[in-house]
Amino acid sequence: ETGVTQTPRHLVMGMTNKKSLKCEQHLGHNAMYWYKQSAKKPLELMFVYSLEERVENNSVPSRFSPECPNSSHLFLHLHTLQPEDSALYLCASSQAKRGDEQYFGPGTRLTVT
Amino acid sequence: GENVEQHPSTLSVQEGDSAVIKCTYSDSASNYFPWYKQELGKGPQLIIDIRSNVGEKKDQRIAVTLNKTAKHFSLHITETQPEDSAVYFCAATYSGGGADGLTFGKGTHLIIQP
């Protein structure tokens, strides 16, 4: 595997379910990001982790809970979501020291019913 | 915080012609401006970027220009080909040497007409 991978690629969940999105990067990076991509809206930054510590949380509702157990893995835990949370969730990684050149995974298409 | 405006939202050009997409940003501290291409069913792919210490950068058929005074930057694609059809996003951030989230424009759907 190379680059940034995300699983699952598609997820349908009810509002009372609990699920997790997984991201793994194989680039030797030490910063990871979660973005949300909704129709007709710009990509929105949700969380930033640098060296496994959360450095940014962009006023994201508590029903989204990130976890970064090591520099290669990033999770987004979901619980009691709303239909408006349906979107493409994208993971990205970069070198924390340079703070740029972010590389994205293919995304998880989430549908909340 | 940073705000990025991108125009046009849709651009249709004849194969072989040039395409130009423009973005403006609000935060004068921003110093890193990447461009991403997103094809259907895929994540955004970095195609070119520019930093505030240069005014222009070129990579084969793709070029980016930056005007710091006016706070705008543009993507130029020459000799367009069918595989250039995709959604293009501009972004901006202050790259301070740490992990910095990007602020994106809303995207431009580029259509190459055969």
Side-chain angles (χ1 to χ4, degrees):
Chain A
E1 290 272 21
T2 58
V4 181
T5 58
Q6 289 187 244
T7 55
R9 293 295 309 277
H10 301 271
L11 178 62
V12 179
M13 60 186 289
M15 290 190 285
T16 58
N17 290 159
K18 289 184 180 181
K19 296 286 184 183
S20 295
L21 310 185
K22 178 183 176 182
C23 175
E24 184 173 0
Q25 60 92 5
H26 311 269
L27 300 168
H29 291 162
N30 49 24
M32 298 186 78
Y33 312 76
W34 279 117
Y35 288 86
K36 176 184 179 182
Q37 187 174 33
S38 306
K40 309 290 185 184
K41 294 176 69 175
L43 281 83
E44 302 170 65
L45 179 66
M46 300 175 73
F47 301 103
V48 181
Y49 275 83
S50 177
L51 300 171
E52 300 155 38
E53 288 189 19
R54 191 188 311 179
V55 296
E56 191 166 345
N57 176 344
N58 269 9
S59 302
V60 179
S62 59
R63 57 186 183 269
F64 295 91
S65 175
E67 178 189 0
C68 188
N70 55 61
S71 59
S72 299
H73 294 86
L74 184 65
F75 294 89
L76 188 62
H77 304 299
L78 317 170
H79 63 96
T80 59
L81 294 191
Q82 304 298 311
E84 59 265 28
D85 296 322
S86 298
L88 181 69
Y89 289 84
L90 291 158
C91 172
S93 70
S94 74
Q95 285 290 0
K97 283 188 178 179
R98 296 189 63 181
D100 49 33
E101 296 181 5
Q102 293 182 24
Y103 294 88
F104 283 81
T108 295
R109 174 67 62 186
L110 173 66
T111 303
V112 181
T113 61
Chain B
E2 176 64 275
N3 182 51
V4 176
E5 299 286 338
Q6 182 173 347
H7 300 279
S9 57
T10 304
L11 178 60
S12 182
V13 300
Q14 290 293 124
E15 182 178 349
D17 288 350
S18 296
V20 180
I21 302 170
K22 299 181 179 181
C23 289
T24 60
Y25 61 100
S26 61
D27 189 348
S28 56
S30 288
N31 60 1
Y32 175 64
F33 308 92
W35 284 89
Y36 286 85
K37 174 184 181 182
Q38 188 173 24
E39 296 173 303
L40 200 61
K42 297 183 179 180
Q45 177 189 6
L46 179 67
I47 55 172
I48 194 167
D49 57 15
I50 191 167
R51 302 177 197 279
S52 59
N53 58 345
V54 298
E56 184 174 359
K57 183 176 178 180
K58 190 173 181 180
D59 182 5
Q60 298 182 11
R61 296 186 298 109
I62 295 174
V64 57
T65 58
L66 172 65
N67 183 326
K68 285 187 294 183
T69 303
K71 290 191 282 189
H72 66 71
F73 56 113
S74 301
L75 177 71
H76 305 254
I77 305 175
T78 59
E79 301 172 14
T80 53
Q81 300 169 4
E83 54 265 35
D84 295 330
S85 294
V87 180
Y88 291 80
F89 295 93
C90 62
T93 191
Y94 170 70
S95 179
D100 305 296
L102 296 167
T103 300
F104 282 85
K106 287 188 176 182
T108 295
H109 186 192
L110 177 61
I111 302 165
I112 308 301
Q113 302 279 5

